[in-house]
């Protein structure tokens, strides 16, 4: 059984001595070799399976710390805006802490598994007739005027918790990978990974990938109506814009865009070639290195190892999976019919 993330990294996390540990034993996620993708990009590629966290995404790393601190400080309600995963995680940790949760999501625009989670955990789910970016503006204003804890990644404890993913990778490899590939939405996670690496005095190249219809950091300007099949990263005005750009610049990495077609091709390749089912947004990390290669820092050789962060589990978004997968094969209940169905 994995040790709760807060116990594993307590000395590196800013909790107060009296804070309760609100945990579902998150973190300690698998780092798996990706031979098929390694072959294609000509480097050793490893996949960090963040979908193996308790609610199926990396958000649990930040949420255990943010909700523990919120509970310790006496808060009774946590709120967030979300494209789905933050909502599911906030709802679960609020339930665990005996707190109330309210989550604001863009109406009809989040994957169905995430909605089911938030509802089952008893959060108040508010479907906003507007974008994620608008929802974030509203919850920020709300948190200024009400006694509620905002658990979006603008919350510093979220970033602190999420940086532990970098610690795990460095511990497991015995050194930092030479590059990191990561999907970018609101830009909290890339900020957190970079902080984790810097705290260990390491500096892999950081390659961030946005969906081309929702790529404000690549364009250098907010996107008013972001659009992509990867609903988790359908974000037009990332909250941690400057910090994310600083990570790409200081690491001598890149921020690039990948098309929905490239995301879906990587999503399928991961599932059929590597046996790993992640959600579409997560596949942007692999799509990115397949599309853009592994550009080296000036005067340096190309990286030999790259960790791709697979941020969320494929079961989060069964609709996209079923729409993109081959059909099931109907069959009469006869041995010969089953034989034909399998072997023809
Ligand atoms: N991948 C997945 C599966 C996500 O859910 C998110 C963000 C990201 C990548 C991007 O991470 O925002 O830190 O750059 N999801 C947020 C949410 C926005 O509300 O669940 P980021």
């Amino acid at each position: 059984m994995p040790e709760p993330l807060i116990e594993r990294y307590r000395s590196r996390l800013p909790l107060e001595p009296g804070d309760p540990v609100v945990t579902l034993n998150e973190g300690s996620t698998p780092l798996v070799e990706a031979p098929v993708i390694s072959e294609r990009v000509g480097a050793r590629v490893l996949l960090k399976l963040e979908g193996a966290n308790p609610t199926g995404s990396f958000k649990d790393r930040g949420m255990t710390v943010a909700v523990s601190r919120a509970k310790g400080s006496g808060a009774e309600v946590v709120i967030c805006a979300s494209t789905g995963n933050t909502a599911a995680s906030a709802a679960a940790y609020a339930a665990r802490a005996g707190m109330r949760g309210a989550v604001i999501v863009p109406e009809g625009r989040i994957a169905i598994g995430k909605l089911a989670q938030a509802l089952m955990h008893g959060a108040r789910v508010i479907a906003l007739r507007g974008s994620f970016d608008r929802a974030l503006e509203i919850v920020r204003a709300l948190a200024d005027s009400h006694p509620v804890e905002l658990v979006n990644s603008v919350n510093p404890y979220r970033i602190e918790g999420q940086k532990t993913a970098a610690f795990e990778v460095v511990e497991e490899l015995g050194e930092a990978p030479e590059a990191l590939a990561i999907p970018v939405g609101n830009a909290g996670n890339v900020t957190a990974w970079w902080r984790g690496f810097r705290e260990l005095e390491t500096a892999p190249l950081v390659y961030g990938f946005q969906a081309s219809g929702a790529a404000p950091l690549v364009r250098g300007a907010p996107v008013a109506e972001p659009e992509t099949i990867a609903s988790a990263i359908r974000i037009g005005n990332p909250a941690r814009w400057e910090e994310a750009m600083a990570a790409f610049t200081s690491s001598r990495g890149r921020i690039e865009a990948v098309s929905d077609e490239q995301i879906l091709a990587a999503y399928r390749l991961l599932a059929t070639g590597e046996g790993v089912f992640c959600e579409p947004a997560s596949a942007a990390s692999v799509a990115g290195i397949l599309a853009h290669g592994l550009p080296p820092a000036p005067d340096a050789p190309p990286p030999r190892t790259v960790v791709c962060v697979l941020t969320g589990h494929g079961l989060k978004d069964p609709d996209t999976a079923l729409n993109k997968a081959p059909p099931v094969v109907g069959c009469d209940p006869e041995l010969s019919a089953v034989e034909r169905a399998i072997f023809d």
Side-chain angles (χ1 to χ4, degrees):
M1 189 168 66
E3 193 183 3
L5 177 154
I6 289 175
E7 307 296 0
R8 188 168 170 186
Y9 294 111
R10 185 177 276 279
S11 66
R12 293 184 170 275
L13 294 171
L15 286 168
E16 302 297 323
D19 287 344
V21 176
V22 181
T23 180
L24 294 163
N25 292 5
E26 54 294 305
S28 305
T29 56
L31 183 66
V32 303
E33 300 281 349
V36 172
I37 297 161
S38 298
E39 173 80 30
R40 294 220 187 167
V41 301
R44 180 181 179 205
V45 176
L46 296 136
L47 309 171
K48 183 68 168 159
L49 302 192
E50 291 290 276
N53 275 297
T55 77
S57 86
F58 70 94
K59 307 288 182 179
D60 297 345
R61 290 182 185 277
M63 211 54 77
T64 182
V65 181
V67 174
S68 295
R69 183 75 274 275
K71 181 84 177 168
S73 70
E76 288 167 8
V77 183
V78 298
I79 59 161
C80 66
S82 182
T83 57
N85 280 324
T86 302
S89 185
Y93 283 81
R96 188 78 182 172
M99 300 169 78
R100 284 189 294 132
V103 303
I104 306 193
V105 300
E107 184 178 45
R109 311 274 287 173
I110 78 167
I112 201 78
K114 304 173 188 180
L115 187 61
Q117 288 178 288
L119 290 167
M120 274 305 291
H121 288 304
R124 176 79 54 94
V125 179
I126 296 132
L128 190 79
R129 289 183 280 279
S131 65
F132 166 83
D133 299 288
R134 182 70 190 126
L136 185 58
E137 282 171 11
I138 292 172
V139 291
R140 289 177 93 153
L142 208 82
D144 284 342
S145 52
H146 292 78
V148 295
E149 195 66 33
L150 181 61
V151 294
N152 278 105
S153 60
V154 295
N155 179 319
Y157 297 97
R158 281 277 313 278
I159 303 298
E160 289 293 314
Q162 285 171 213
K163 76 184 178 187
T164 60
F167 298 165
E168 288 177 14
V169 166
V170 174
E171 273 174 45
E172 196 161 339
L173 295 178
E175 60 185 354
E178 293 184 4
L180 180 80
I182 185 168
V184 177
N186 212 24
N189 208 28
V190 67
T191 299
W193 275 82
W194 180 241
R195 184 179 301 174
F197 285 127
R198 292 310 297 141
E199 287 189 11
L200 301 179
E201 294 172 7
T202 64
L205 296 166
V206 177
Y207 304 129
F209 299 107
Q210 299 197 294
S212 48
L217 299 181
V218 180
R219 286 180 33 170
V223 174
E225 290 185 9
E227 194 43 80
T228 167
I229 187 139
S231 58
I233 53 171
R234 196 183 281 143
I235 293 176
N237 192 11
R240 296 231 178 221
W241 187 304
E242 282 79 19
E243 284 155 288
M245 292 314 292
F248 305 128
T249 309
S250 343
S251 76
R252 307 198 294 170
R254 302 274 184 100
I255 176 79
E256 300 276 5
V258 282
S259 68
D260 279 6
E261 292 67 34
Q262 289 168 331
I263 289 174
L264 289 172
Y267 173 64
R268 271 193 225 97
L269 179 65
L270 279 160
T272 58
E274 305 286 11
V276 173
F277 186 26
C278 65
E279 65 173 288
S282 307
S285 58
V286 169
I289 61 169
L290 290 172
H292 298 283
L294 301 171
D299 307 321
R304 289 163 301 180
T305 53
V306 51
V307 168
C308 292
V309 187
L310 298 189
T311 45
H313 200 287
L315 290 172
K316 292 273 190 176
D317 188 358
D319 293 328
T320 301
L322 291 170
N323 282 333
K324 301 298 165 189
V328 294
V329 181
C331 189
D332 290 328
E334 302 297 338
L335 177 59
S336 58
V338 175
E339 279 172 342
R340 273 197 308 281
I342 294 174
F343 299 113
D344 277 2

